Each structure stands twice: as C-alpha cells, then as structure tokens.
Amino acid sequence: DAEITQSPRHKITETGRQVTLACHQTWNHNNMFWYRQDLGHGLRLIHYSYGVQDTNKGEVSDGYSVSRSNTEDLPLTLESAASSQTSVYFCASSRAENTEAFFGQGTRLTVV
Amino acid sequence: DAKTTQPTSMDCAEGRAANLPCNHSTISGNEYVYWYRQIHSQGPQYIIHGLKNNETNEMASLIITEDRKSSTLILPHATLRDTAVYYCIVRVAGDGGKLSFGAGTTVTVRA
C-alpha cells in the first residue's frame, strides 16, 4: 500500500546542531507539507511544496528550510536547532488542492 | 481563510450519535469545509469535506446550513476509538491544499 513515512520517529539533539527530518511518500503526490505541533495546540504550517524544485514558506518558517529534488521526498532541515523548536513535526501530502491530505505519524524532536 | 469556532470539548456515549458543531460565519462562496481528526499522538486523519451540499461517507456525515455559516459533523455510532480532537477547517479552493488548524474539539466517547 502507498504510504507516507517520517524518520526518525524520535530525536534528541543539542542546541546549535543542524538536524534533518525525513519525509517520504509513495503516492506520487505533487503537494507536500510540513507542520509543527506544540503541546496543547493545533498544527502550524512550516513549509510546503507543490512539486519538484518548488518550495514555499508557511506561517512559522524561520529557522527551517526544505528542498524538493524529487516527487517522493521533502526533507525538513533545522539550520541551527533551538530549544523553541522542540515540538512534534508532521509531514503531509496531497494529490491536488481539493483532495484529502495524508499525514505521517510524526517526529518528536527535543532540543536540549 | 475564514475563521472557525468550535466548542472546546464534548462527551458522547458509546453507540450514540456524536454531533460536532462548527461556526464559520465569515465563509465565502469558494471556501470548502473540511473535517480532520487527530487521535492521541498520531497524525491528523481526513474525515470529510463539502462545499454546500450535505455529504456522507463511511466515517461520517457533514451537514452544512443553507447559508453556509455553520456545519455539523455527525459520527453516527460513536465508538471508543472515535475519542480524538476534531478539527473543522475552512479552506479556499486554489490554495494548494494548505490547512489552517485551530484548537479543535476534544471529543471523549465514554462506555
């Protein structure tokens, strides 16, 4: 079955380190998204992509970057991890704009 | 995107219908109503969406008022596995699929 997978599921890193979270989908979806969710809050959009070589900033993009070199993957990079970036990160994909989005299981990132 | 208002929490008895309200009084003509839910520690899951007609699928029904200013998600026979946070999201067509999540409604299904 097609799916969307995130790795790692859990990560602890130190302040100032560069961290990359992986997101891989096998549906051949054009649209991919990264969200973060802090305790007791809804999800907030970090970055998104509508296709290969396309990337866009969301509402909380500072300190994050993404790249889209193929359809299947949208890695999220924290350039210099900060404690404020401790959160659960969710990746999602969708075929087109008016279709459902499929979410990964999340990556719990702790910055110490 | 239009803002949505949902109750913070609600309880429901197992086996009964759960009716989840959502107010979106500033919705415009090209905005869809989407519902997602998030079971504890998991990624959000799509439930249903609609523009102005009522919709039904294997998970739920969506009732949108004629003026489109509010809607109700109906889980026809709630089970314990339906305990989750339910998000009502209004989205304009043409935004590429971005979702703007609020705080949602925490639904607890009790045996």
Side-chain angles (χ1 to χ4, degrees):
Chain A
D1 284 345
E3 59 182 2
I4 181 166
T5 55
Q6 295 183 231
S7 61
R9 294 293 311 279
H10 302 271
K11 185 170 181 66
I12 300 174
T13 191
E14 295 178 343
T15 301
R17 288 193 179 267
Q18 183 181 79
V19 177
T20 297
L21 309 183
C23 176
H24 178 80
Q25 52 97 3
T26 59
W27 284 297
N28 204 36
H29 286 167
N30 285 328
N31 301 341
M32 294 187 73
F33 310 87
W34 274 104
Y35 295 86
R36 63 176 284 176
Q37 184 173 34
D38 301 305
L39 192 64
H41 291 83
L43 284 76
R44 292 182 292 171
L45 183 64
I46 305 172
H47 281 286
Y48 57 101
S49 169
Y50 293 149
V52 176
Q53 302 301 330
D54 176 75
T55 61
N56 305 279
K57 294 181 179 180
E59 63 176 308
V60 290
S61 61
D62 286 351
Y64 303 94
S65 64
V66 293
S67 60
R68 188 89 181 270
S69 59
N70 58 53
T71 301
E72 296 80 14
D73 299 289
L74 187 70
L76 177 71
T77 297
L78 286 68
E79 304 295 343
S80 177
S83 58
S84 60
Q85 294 177 307
T86 293
S87 188
V88 180
Y89 291 85
F90 290 99
C91 178
S93 72
S94 66
R95 179 174 55 82
E97 62 189 39
N98 268 350
T99 60
E100 64 194 276
F102 294 86
F103 284 79
Q105 288 301 302
T107 294
R108 184 175 297 276
L109 176 68
T110 303
V111 183
V112 298
Chain B
D1 293 343
K3 179 179 170 59
T4 62
T5 303
Q6 299 179 250
T8 302
S9 63
M10 61 184 296
D11 286 359
C12 175
E14 188 178 23
R16 303 294 295 270
N19 297 296
L20 284 63
C22 180
N23 182 284
H24 32 80
S25 58
T26 61
I27 194 170
S28 56
N30 64 344
E31 289 183 310
Y32 288 75
V33 179
Y34 279 73
W35 284 85
Y36 282 77
R37 73 180 183 183
Q38 186 175 24
I39 297 170
H40 181 64
S41 297
Q42 297 182 19
Q45 176 190 23
Y46 166 84
I47 302 173
I48 199 166
H49 76 282
L51 182 62
K52 52 185 176 182
N53 297 322
N54 298 336
E55 303 287 344
T56 295
N57 62 20
E58 65 278 3
M59 290 183 66
S61 294
L62 173 60
I63 308 299
I64 303 174
T65 58
E66 192 169 344
D67 63 8
R68 302 208 325 123
K69 293 184 177 182
S70 65
S71 61
T72 300
L73 179 74
I74 301 173
L75 308 177
H77 304 286
T79 71
L80 298 179
R81 287 178 295 180
D82 291 322
T83 292
V85 179
Y86 287 76
Y87 298 99
C88 171
I89 299 168
V90 170
R91 250 192 56 207
V92 63
D95 69 354
K98 294 178 290 181
L99 297 169
S100 181
F101 290 83
T105 297
T106 299
V107 174
T108 303
V109 180
R110 303 191 185 280

